[in-house]
């Protein structure tokens, strides 16, 4: 089945962020009509000139009806700072269902089907019960964490500082998540009511990632394993909200136990090509970590 709502725009939330941004770019690249949503409409307009920008604040339900009106699909991302999903993401799903704005593709996280602690679990449960057509993407650890959470440590400190021990992660490039979203929205019926676990093609240790950075940047980047309290303090110094600091620390501690190491072949199967590697990501984005 092809996307019958193709003339209606697909509403992409979190479009100024990693995942939503990649999805908006891939959908536009596939020739699909896109409505980009977020709290900063001017920024959305500047980032995505061919798309229709719309104001959406997940903490203000009054912004929901206009955002979903006339949409022919919804790509939903949970912003890291939002833990209470009931009055925010789940309420948006209800508004979208009433407006007939599906199908819905939700960007979740690996293990969210069984892990009740992550907020994504409650969104998945709500979406599955909503009666709307849904597809859930459950990605593993992002390569883009190097551009985000670790960027300053690499750029100014020549180090990756995380409490991951010698754990490995099957890093996924979020550009591939965008490309999968385009595959799904081009033919939603083929992916209806299905959840996909998505990982990159190989599991790397942080020492190996540091070596890739060193090769590409022409200066030595080292991996300095952090202790759990040391990392918590490190994040707090950046003035991140406490809950976010705790969640990030726990996620990295999980890497020590190999939680993000399993490689899943689903991504390459959906894309019909090999997924992007960490080596490719670092080479493409090397300007991000040039010395200040
Ligand atoms: N990092 C990883 O390794 C990893 C792995 C698997 C899954 N995940 C999951 O992926 C998601 C994070 O994706 P990301 O990296 O794309 O996040 P991100 O880059 O931080 O982007 C978050 C987006 O949410 C938007 N946002 C924030 N507050 C909002 C609000 N009140 N109303 C509407 N929009 C709001 C932001 O836009 P504006 O502020 O401009 O509106 C931004 O576009 C999280 O759910 C995370 O758990 C992460």
């Amino acid at each position: 089945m092809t996307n019958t709502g193709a003339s209606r725009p697909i509403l992409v939330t979190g479009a100024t962020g990693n995942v939503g941004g990649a999805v908006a770019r891939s959908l536009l690249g596939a020739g699909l009509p896109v409505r980009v949503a977020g709290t900063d409409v001017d920024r959305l307009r500047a980032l995505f000139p061919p798309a229709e920008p719309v104001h959406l604040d997940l903490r203000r339900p009054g912004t929901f009806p206009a955002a979903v009106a006339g949409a022919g699909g919804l790509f939903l991302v949970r912003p890291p700072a939002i833990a209470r999903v009931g009055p925010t993401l789940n309420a948006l799903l209800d508004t979208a269902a009433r407006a007939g704005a599906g199908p819905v593709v939700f960007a979740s996280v690996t293990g969210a089907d069984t892990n009740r602690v992550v907020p994504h679990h409650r969104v998945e449960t709500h979406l599955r019960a909503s009666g709307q057509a849904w597809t859930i993407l459950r990605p593993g650890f992002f390569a883009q964490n190097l551009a985000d959470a670790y960027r300053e440590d690499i750029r100014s400190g020549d180090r990756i500082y995380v409490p991951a021990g010698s754990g490995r992660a099957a890093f996924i490039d979020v550009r591939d998540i965008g490309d999968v979203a385009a595959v799904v929205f081009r033919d939603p019926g083929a992916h209806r009511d299905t959840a996909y676990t998505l990982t990159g093609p190989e599991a790397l240790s942080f020492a190996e990632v540091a070596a890739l950075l060193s090769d590409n940047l022409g200066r030595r980047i080292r991996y300095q394993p952090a202790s759990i309290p040391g990392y918590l303090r490190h994040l707090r110094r950046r003035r991140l909200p406490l809950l976010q600091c705790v969640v990030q620390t726990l996620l990295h501690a999980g890497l020590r136990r190999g939680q993000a190491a399993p490689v899943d072949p689903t991504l390459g199967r959906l894309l019909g090509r090999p997924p992007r590697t960490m080596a490719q990501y670092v080479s493409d984005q090397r300007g991000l970590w040039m010395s200040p």
Side-chain angles (χ1 to χ4, degrees), residues 14 16-19 39 56-58 78-80 108-109 120 139-140 142 145:
T16 56
N18 286 314
V19 179
T39 58
L56 171 76
D57 187 339
L58 285 162
R78 180 194 73 95
S108 186
V109 62
H120 312 72
F142 295 170
N145 290 333

Side-chain angles (χ1 to χ4, degrees), residues 23-115:
V23 169
R25 276 183 282 277
S26 293
L27 298 185
L28 289 168
L32 293 165
V34 174
R35 182 184 292 168
V36 282
T39 58
D40 187 342
V41 174
D42 290 338
R43 191 152 166 242
L44 289 167
R45 193 175 286 116
L47 281 171
F48 303 101
E52 175 195 344
V54 68
H55 179 69
L56 171 76
D57 187 339
L58 285 162
R59 298 188 197 274
R60 292 178 53 213
T63 64
F64 298 176
V68 303
L74 166 62
F75 185 88
L76 182 64
V77 178
R78 180 194 73 95
I82 293 188
R84 286 186 68 223
V85 298
T88 55
L89 281 82
N90 288 349
L92 178 67
L93 286 173
D94 294 342
T95 307
R98 283 193 295 274
V104 178
V105 178
F106 174 53
S108 186
V109 62
T110 42
D113 47 338
T114 52
N115 182 352

